[in-house]
Amino acid sequence: MAAWDYEYSVVVIGGGPAGMSAAIAAHDCGVSDVLIIERENALGGILRQCIHCGFGLELFKEELTGPEFAERLAEQVEQRGIECKLSTMVLNVSRDKLITTTSAEEGVLTIKAGAIIFAMGCRERSRGALTTPGTRPSGIFSAGAAQRYVNIEGYMPGKEVVILGSGDIGLIMARRMTLEGAHVKLVCEVMPYSGGLARNIEQCLHDFDIPLLLSHTVTKIHGKGRLEGVTISQVDERRRPIPGTEQYVECDTLLLSVGLIPENELTTGCGIPLNGATKGAEVDQDRQTEVPGIYACGNVLHVHDLADYAAEEARIAGKAAAELVRGETGTPADIRLKTDGKVRYTVPQRITVKKDVTVYYRVSDVFDTPRLTVTAKLPDGETRDILTKKYIRLAPGTMEAVKLSRDLTGELPDGTVLEFRLN
Amino acid sequence: MNRKIICIICPRSCEIDAEIAADGSVTVSGFGCQRGKRYAESECINPVRTVTSTVCVEGHAPLPVRTDKPVPKAKMFECMKAIAKVKALPPDLHMGDVILEDICGTGANLIAAAGRMRNGN
């Protein structure tokens, strides 16, 4: 008797934009037996509840809603005959690429994979992570949970709404709740700038005269049973509430849009270390983790600004996984990428094959007229700047990219460190 | 009159300068693409938005819907009321099927933004 129930060349965990794109790319690179495992009862991931417009301009060259974007990808999955196990939860992944799943239909299964692509997405930071004082009434939701209630389940979470955090999901929900008849009183943001896109501040807040209070946060939660109100306070430059600035705002609903965290339980479960800045696995240019044959892409690797970018990254992983199972390998290299703190992180963190590589990075603060310098520190002690790029402005909310061509990095000896810094 | 307009067409969110002359003609500068140029001009003359929402029909999960082109901004809430009144959907519904023709006299159709089969029910 075999030690497993099914065997596939490539198994993708997660059927959102990244998972579907990775599976499509792997199939298009000549692997016919690709499996997608999805815990929901439909493909699409978080896009199913993102009913607003703004998706697809990069990938499909037209403006689509989330469900439309998802359905386009799902059609491509279907056309290729890629197998999907829906309503199936992955319990464990081992380093020898055995996947344990559970579903009502098939019970507990073991699936053997030639290569595994993690595409589990991310989850929202919760109230627990904020340590806001006060009572614990109902009426406090993460913005994404509220989005699911309204757009998928068809329930309205409340009528008088305060939103903490100006991330894009919070902004989108400010508009959505307003259109559905709620009164969104204000959005408060602890930072002196919004974490959301300027277009969303414009079309979700300004269109409906919803005030955005920068450098403000919720300092107390009031209410027994149901939320009755919140105290908001202004904060100083170190994000500490300023005494005397408290104001009480009556509300029955508080939405939290305070950040996203990659969903890496399966990753850490098979002993893959996470990067402190991305909260995702450390990967090479192919999005391969330190376990050969296990890849990660999309929001499980690092939180992307757009589904289009997550899908684009997933194609890199899908193609590489296909090449691995087909036995195609390039010329090895051993280059590490480091950052100076102003550059908060890069993806990938290492280059293991000589090829053209696009490096994505995010900065830690708002910088005006900065210059990015990539310095190669060779093992013999020599240093040389291999690339500089000037910007008008860099902000944490926008992921940036630079291309390192094979000509630039191909001649660098093994053991070289590339330092990404801003000055 | 001069206006600064944040473009909502794509995530670049370009800041576009618009100059509205006494005769009502509009000159825009600082746009990153032609779509942005058209958006800024329209924003000065007749601001429009694409409305997205859901249609809730008993026994089924909410169906995502959208207007197939932007509608006047002032008509958004009227469109929402019309969307709330939809109480039945054809059984075999596909993405792009028209749910309401010429919604609220805007010239835009309300269309399904997902197919029934793939909407999880």
Side-chain angles (χ1 to χ4, degrees):
Chain A
M1 199 180 98
W4 47 80
D5 302 287
Y6 296 105
E7 187 168 354
Y8 292 87
S9 292
V10 175
V11 177
V12 181
I13 302 175
M20 288 193 279
S21 301
I24 291 163
H27 192 275
D28 289 353
C29 289
V31 177
S32 55
D33 61 325
V34 179
L35 173 72
I36 299 174
I37 305 174
E38 166 58 46
R39 70 178 168 193
E40 294 270 326
N41 62 356
L43 291 175
I46 207 67
L47 289 177
R48 295 179 60 225
Q49 67 184 59
C50 298
I51 62 161
H52 52 280
C53 283
F55 300 89
L57 280 166
E58 301 275 337
L59 194 58
F60 297 109
K61 306 293 170 213
E62 61 179 299
E63 194 179 23
L64 303 170
T65 64
E68 287 171 321
F69 186 101
E71 188 146 334
R72 294 270 182 108
L73 286 176
E75 277 167 6
Q76 294 182 17
V77 167
E78 199 169 88
Q79 281 160 10
R80 285 163 180 76
I82 294 171
E83 275 185 69
C84 303
K85 287 191 185 296
L86 301 176
S87 304
T88 302
M89 183 80 185
V90 174
L91 300 176
N92 187 59
V93 172
S94 73
R95 291 172 82 92
D96 49 4
K97 296 189 275 293
L98 287 172
I99 302 163
T100 312
T101 67
T102 181
S103 67
E105 209 170 300
E106 293 186 276
V108 176
L109 292 178
T110 304
I111 299 169
K112 171 74 178 166
I116 296 173
I117 302 174
F118 286 147
M120 293 87 78
C122 59
R123 60 169 58 179
E124 297 177 278
R125 280 182 77 204
S126 61
R127 181 189 170 186
L130 296 182
T131 65
T132 309
T135 55
R136 302 179 69 81
S138 67
I140 304 173
F141 305 88
S142 67
Q147 188 179 44
R148 186 182 168 99
Y149 284 132
V150 177
N151 295 344
I152 295 197
E153 314 285 346
Y155 301 116
M156 271 294 275
K159 292 180 181 135
E160 297 285 318
V161 186
V162 168
I163 299 177
L164 172 59
S166 61
D168 286 312
I169 313 170
L171 300 176
I172 294 289
M173 282 311 290
R175 172 177 62 185
R176 182 76 183 118
M177 297 282 285
T178 305
L179 284 172
E180 288 292 353
H183 175 210
V184 178
K185 294 190 148 177
L186 57 94
V187 176
C188 60
E189 167 61 56
V190 72
M191 302 301 285
Y193 51 84
S194 166
L197 297 168
R199 69 192 290 238
N200 284 337
I201 296 188
E202 191 60 28
Q203 62 185 344
C204 299
L205 300 187
H206 292 172
D207 273 5
F208 304 98
D209 298 318
I210 300 168
L212 170 62
L213 275 63
L214 298 173
S215 298
H216 277 74
T217 193
V218 171
T219 47
K220 195 166 182 191
I221 286 163
H222 308 266
K224 283 179 187 164
R226 180 76 190 195
L227 180 68
E228 285 162 17
V230 293
T231 301
I232 62 170
S233 304
Q234 200 180 330
V235 297
D236 64 19
E237 64 281 358
R238 292 174 61 191
R239 285 186 264 164
R240 292 171 307 196
I242 302 170
T245 63
E246 299 88 356
Q247 41 176 316
Y248 180 75
V249 183
E250 217 173 279
C251 61
D252 59 27
T253 304
L254 175 66
L255 302 188
L256 306 175
S257 178
V258 290
L260 301 168
I261 304 165
E263 170 77 85
N264 270 301
E265 273 163 21
L266 295 175
T267 320
T268 53
C270 62
I272 294 171
L274 301 186
N275 179 284
T278 61
K279 311 274 188 254
E282 298 226 332
V283 291
D284 67 14
Q285 72 293 327
D286 294 333
R287 306 304 186 266
Q288 183 168 230
T289 67
E290 66 154 48
V291 177
I294 299 186
Y295 299 78
C297 59
N299 281 353
V300 77
L301 184 58
H302 59 127
V303 177
H304 292 67
D305 305 340
L306 299 179
D308 293 72
Y309 297 158
E312 184 183 301
E313 175 174 86
R315 286 200 298 271
I316 298 172
K319 180 170 180 281
E323 284 167 357
L324 178 97
V325 300
R326 290 161 56 103
E328 294 161 18
T329 51
T331 313
D334 179 16
I335 296 170
R336 303 228 151 229
L337 279 59
K338 294 250 158 73
T339 57
D340 67 344
K342 288 181 182 168
V343 176
R344 200 158 72 80
Y345 70 73
T346 64
V347 170
Q349 291 91 5
R350 54 180 199 270
I351 297 173
T352 58
V353 172
K354 291 188 197 297
K355 60 159 86 165
D356 292 345
V357 176
T358 301
V359 176
Y360 296 89
Y361 72 95
R362 216 179 263 282
V363 296
S364 58
D365 205 345
V366 176
F367 297 98
D368 284 310
T369 63
R371 189 176 61 183
L372 174 80
T373 305
V374 181
T375 306
K377 294 182 172 173
L378 277 48
D380 64 3
E382 190 200 328
T383 66
R384 80 172 91 113
D385 294 345
I386 61 164
L387 184 141
T388 60
K389 193 173 176 184
K390 286 181 179 169
Y391 294 87
I392 296 166
R393 185 169 227 229
L394 291 175
T398 308
M399 192 164 72
E400 300 288 342
V402 284
K403 285 200 170 105
L404 297 181
S405 68
R406 192 184 165 145
D407 295 342
L408 271 181
T409 59
E411 299 312 311
L412 296 170
D414 285 358
T416 297
V417 171
L418 294 181
E419 194 185 33
F420 280 66
R421 55 198 175 83
L422 281 191
N423 42 23
Chain B
M1 193 183 74
N2 293 317
R3 266 184 71 184
K4 279 211 181 300
I5 291 165
I6 305 284
C7 182
I8 64 166
I9 298 295
C10 89
R12 282 170 64 186
S13 308
C14 292
E15 202 174 298
I16 302 173
D17 288 304
E19 203 182 316
I20 306 160
D23 66 353
S25 66
V26 178
T27 319
V28 297
S29 59
F31 48 84
C33 69
Q34 288 304 308
R35 295 175 64 136
K37 180 172 184 277
R38 284 196 297 272
Y39 170 76
E41 287 164 353
S42 139
E43 196 65 2
C44 294
I45 300 159
N46 173 34
V48 291
R49 297 287 183 267
T50 299
V51 174
T52 67
S53 188
T54 51
V55 164
C56 294
V57 171
E58 236 180 276
H60 292 285
L63 176 80
V65 292
R66 64 175 293 184
T67 55
D68 63 358
K69 57 184 173 189
V71 302
K73 207 165 122 177
K75 287 215 167 184
M76 278 194 288
F77 282 98
E78 210 183 314
C79 289
M80 287 299 291
K81 279 185 188 152
I83 293 167
K85 282 187 190 140
V86 178
K87 287 294 165 221
L89 291 169
D92 181 32
L93 189 78
H94 294 96
M95 184 167 77
D97 285 357
V98 175
I99 310 284
L100 285 176
E101 269 178 43
D102 186 21
I103 184 169
C104 303
T106 58
N109 294 328
L110 186 75
I111 59 169
R116 256 293 168 69
M117 291 312 291
R118 266 195 272 272
N119 196 29
N121 62 28

